[in-house]
């Protein structure tokens, strides 16, 4: 049976991980390659690297980092952040990324999804959607949730599926950082409306939150950052618990 | 040992090259007929669309060469599917090494199947040292049905061939280079056949 995936997410700036990361036995907590190796050896099913740098050398630094990660790990990984063209994606995939995640550039130019899917195949195109509720409606936001669009989450999700996205990474801005659990109602609606896998993101605080997002939210995968980086939840522990609750996981 | 990964522009092979290096071997990328023919092991990768992949194989004449190879050949993912008679993806004719037709997963499922699933009923030395129900990483929308040559199966709303073998030709639907230590072991088994 296909298992539910647990995905740690690493924020990258100028080739280094940022935000707090607290790992014992790690020589250098800022090195994404070392962190990637630890996660791949301790049961992560996939990794996501989100580049938030804004320098001119960004593309080159990112491409180089992807190459080093591909050399070091033997599980799949996705790279996102500031990707806006077929050329950007070509370099990252050539250097060993398995998938790329696009967000703002897809909203600004939806045709990019079609172009990427046609050139590289749907299986490596993840569309990330950040949304929050305004007057009861889920509204898609850009720039890390700062800038609202006129798009409704569910309409936009259907459109990106039609245009050839292979997967959707949905972050609820309402839940992100709260550690109060994932946005399971919206996730369930997405999962039941769409025919492609949905990754839940935003709100992970406890093992129960992961259980709920798979059982109630019908998510195919769950992504989290700080609970893993600060060892509040050990991935192996999490997966054992999920298994006892009869949620299929890779152990 | 002389390992060639067939180069026909079919996407992401860097991870495959790195995995082979981690095993202590070295693989070159080539579309050269002589280099491919004289290799000890040939890996036939593939990511993307069956129709466009077949077009690229035809343009380079590799569609004629591949079925005539005598050394162990390993098709991975789309590479496995292209070894079949035909594919529903773009209604494409394949290389015809395996007399089976590639089908699309039912639309009642999430497609692509993406993630880790188990392999079972393992046969041949390709799976030497691999436990039944070991997890492999898979990403695909089309599949090879169970056939006489099936040497591993996976269940995604029904069993299908996650590996097959006929003479010197092997195919795996999963990505051994992305399937953790067990995947690397399968790759090593192939390289030491």
């Amino acid at each position: 049976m296909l298992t539910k995936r647990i995905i740690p997410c690493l924020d990258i700036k100028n080739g280094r991980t940022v935000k707090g990361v607290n790992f014992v036995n790690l020589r250098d907590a800022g090195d994404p390659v070392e962190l990637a190796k630890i996660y791949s050896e301790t049961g992560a099913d996939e990794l996501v690297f989100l580049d938030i740098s804004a320098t001119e050398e960004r593309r080159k630094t990112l491409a180089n980092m992807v190459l080093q990660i591909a050399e070091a790990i033997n599980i799949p990984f996705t790279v996102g952040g500031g990707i806006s063209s077929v050329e950007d994606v070509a370099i990252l995939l050539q250097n060993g990324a398995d998938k790329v995640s696009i967000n703002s550039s897809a909203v600004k130019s939806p045709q990019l999804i079609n172009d990427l899917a046609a050139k590289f195949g749907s299986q490596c195109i993840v569309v990330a959607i950040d949304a929050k509720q305004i007057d009861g409606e889920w509204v898609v936001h850009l720039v890390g949730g700062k800038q609202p669009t006129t798009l409704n989450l569910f309409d936009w999700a259907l459109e990106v599926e039609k245009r050839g996205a292979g997967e959707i990474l949905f972050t609820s801005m309402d839940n992100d950082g709260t550690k109060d659990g994932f946005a399971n109602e919206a996730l369930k609606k997405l999962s039941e409306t769409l025919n492609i896998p949905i990754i839940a993101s935003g709100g992970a605080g406890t093992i129960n939150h992961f259980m709920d997002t798979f059982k109630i939210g019908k998510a195919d995968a769950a992504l989290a950052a700080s609970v893993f980086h600060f060892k509040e939840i050990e991935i192996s522990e999490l997966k054992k618990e999920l298994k006892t609750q009869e949620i299929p996981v890779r152990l | 040992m002389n390992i060639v990964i067939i180069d026909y522009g079919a996407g992401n092979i860097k991870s495959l090259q790195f995995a082979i290096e981690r095993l202590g071997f070295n693989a070159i990328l080539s579309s050269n007929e002589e280099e491919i023919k004289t290799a000890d092991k040939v890996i036939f990768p593939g990511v993307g669309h069956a129709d466009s992949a077949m077009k690229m194989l035809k343009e380079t004449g590799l569609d004629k060469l591949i079925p005539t190879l005598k050394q162990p050949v390993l098709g991975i993912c789309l590479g496995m599917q292209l070894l079949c008679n035909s594919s529903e993806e773009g209604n494409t004719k394949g290389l015809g090494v395996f007399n089976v037709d590639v089908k699309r997963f039912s639309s009642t499922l999430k497609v692509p199947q993406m993630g880790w699933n188990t392999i079972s009923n393992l046969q041949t030395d390709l799976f030497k040292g691999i436990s039944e129900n070991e997890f492999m990483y898979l990403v695909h929308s089309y599949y090879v049905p169970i056939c006489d040559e099936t040497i591993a199966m996976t269940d995604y709303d029904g069993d299908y061939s996650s590996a097959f073998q006929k003479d010197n030709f092997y195919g795996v639907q999963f990505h051994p280079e992305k399937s953790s230590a067990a995947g690397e072991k399968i790759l090593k088994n192939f390289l030491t056949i």
Side-chain angles (χ1 to χ4, degrees):
Chain A
M1 190 191 277
L2 182 65
T3 57
K4 303 289 187 183
R5 287 169 282 153
I6 301 296
I7 309 175
C9 177
L10 297 162
D11 282 349
I12 304 293
K13 196 172 183 181
N14 305 325
R16 311 279 295 166
T17 55
V18 290
K19 278 192 185 169
V21 176
N22 179 21
F23 265 87
V24 225
N25 302 329
L26 189 59
R27 283 197 305 273
D28 174 4
D31 182 359
V33 180
E34 280 212 45
L35 268 173
K37 265 171 99 167
I38 289 181
Y39 278 127
S40 72
E41 285 158 8
T42 50
D45 295 307
E46 246 180 81
L47 297 171
V48 168
F49 298 89
L50 200 57
D51 183 49
I52 55 169
S53 34
T55 56
E56 274 177 37
E57 306 84 54
R58 195 185 62 79
R59 281 194 174 87
K60 218 172 137 189
T61 315
L62 185 63
N64 189 37
M65 185 194 80
V66 166
L67 196 63
Q68 288 176 41
I69 293 166
E71 193 170 6
I73 68 169
N74 53 16
I75 60 168
F77 66 99
T78 302
V79 181
I83 296 167
S84 60
S85 69
V86 169
E87 295 72 39
D88 286 350
V89 173
I91 290 168
L92 297 172
L93 295 180
Q94 272 162 26
N95 281 12
D98 297 280
K99 300 183 241 181
V100 294
S101 166
I102 54 171
N103 189 338
S104 305
S105 56
V107 172
K108 285 173 195 150
S109 161
Q111 178 62 30
L112 179 65
I113 305 169
N114 304 63
D115 295 348
L116 294 177
K119 176 114 177 112
F120 307 106
S122 291
Q123 79 291 332
C124 59
I125 310 303
V126 182
V127 174
I129 305 178
D130 299 339
K132 66 176 159 194
Q133 283 179 290
I134 298 175
D135 299 329
E137 197 198 341
W138 281 96
V139 179
V140 176
H141 281 64
L142 300 182
V143 206
K146 288 191 202 91
Q147 187 185 317
T149 68
T150 55
L151 294 168
N152 167 281
L153 164 65
F154 303 103
D155 296 342
W156 175 234
L158 266 176
E159 183 175 346
V160 307
E161 178 184 36
K162 266 196 211 124
R163 288 180 179 274
E167 196 167 35
I168 286 176
L169 166 55
F170 165 52
T171 303
S172 161
M173 306 311 302
D174 294 336
N175 300 59
D176 202 29
T178 63
K179 298 202 174 177
D180 277 342
F182 294 92
N184 293 322
E185 216 175 296
L187 279 161
K188 179 170 186 272
K189 190 167 167 187
L190 280 176
S191 198
E192 287 177 350
T193 319
L194 302 184
N195 226 2
I196 53 177
I198 310 291
I199 306 170
S201 160
T206 67
I207 287 181
N208 277 330
H209 293 154
F210 287 89
M211 253 176 241
D212 290 345
T213 206
F214 293 132
K215 278 193 173 162
I216 302 167
K218 312 270 180 213
D220 298 285
L223 175 142
S226 61
V227 290
F228 297 139
H229 301 332
F230 288 99
K231 294 229 168 193
E232 290 160 25
I233 297 178
E234 296 267 3
I235 293 174
S236 57
E237 206 56 39
L238 168 63
K239 288 174 116 180
K240 270 183 216 148
E241 275 300 316
L242 291 171
K243 200 182 174 189
T244 60
Q245 296 292 319
E246 291 178 356
I247 292 166
V249 286
R250 176 179 72 110
L251 269 176
Chain B
M1 183 165 42
N2 190 355
I3 303 163
V4 168
I5 301 172
I6 296 180
D7 180 14
Y8 62 109
N12 182 354
I13 45 80
K14 205 76 208 172
S15 300
L16 185 58
Q17 262 184 315
F18 282 139
I20 292 168
E21 279 172 26
R22 285 195 295 269
L23 291 168
F25 300 97
N26 190 34
I28 61 156
L29 259 179
S30 175
S31 56
N32 177 284
E33 185 169 336
E34 219 29 60
E35 274 180 346
I36 296 171
K37 266 187 176 166
T38 55
D40 298 306
K41 298 286 182 324
V42 173
I43 298 180
F44 179 35
V47 171
H49 197 279
D51 189 32
S52 50
M54 275 308 291
K55 273 190 196 124
M56 288 188 281
L57 289 172
K58 279 180 185 155
E59 275 167 22
T60 47
L62 288 167
D63 63 320
K64 299 273 186 305
L65 173 70
I66 293 169
T68 67
L69 293 174
K70 299 286 176 257
Q71 68 277 63
V73 177
L74 178 66
I76 297 177
C77 196
L78 180 63
M80 171 189 191
Q81 298 181 2
L82 293 175
L83 292 172
C84 299
N85 261 345
S86 72
S87 172
E88 284 185 359
E89 188 175 25
N91 286 317
T92 313
K93 248 178 87 75
L95 299 176
V97 175
F98 290 81
N99 185 19
V100 56
D101 301 313
V102 177
K103 307 263 185 239
R104 193 175 202 276
F105 281 126
S106 139
S107 56
T108 58
L109 295 162
K110 292 261 181 126
V111 178
Q113 168 175 230
M114 189 179 287
W116 298 80
N117 200 337
T118 51
I119 53 170
S120 62
N121 282 52
L122 307 179
Q123 291 158 50
T124 79
D125 279 354
L126 189 64
F127 297 107
K128 200 165 68 186
I130 301 293
S131 321
E132 280 288 315
N133 298 314
E134 184 57 78
F135 289 98
M136 290 290 138
Y137 185 77
L138 299 138
V139 185
H140 60 124
S141 303
Y142 295 80
Y143 69 94
V144 178
I146 299 292
C147 55
D148 290 346
E149 293 87 3
T150 300
I151 57 168
M153 52 175 74
T154 293
D155 176 15
Y156 193 53
D157 200 32
D159 289 331
Y160 67 91
S161 298
S162 41
F164 61 12
Q165 184 243 325
K166 183 183 175 187
D167 306 323
N168 56 318
F169 289 92
Y170 294 78
V172 291
Q173 183 61 62
F174 50 83
H175 284 273
E177 76 279 16
K178 285 287 163 185
S179 297
S180 203
E184 287 183 349
K185 171 93 178 125
I186 292 172
L187 203 51
K188 188 173 185 184
N189 285 344
F190 171 74
L191 295 176
T192 49
I193 276 169

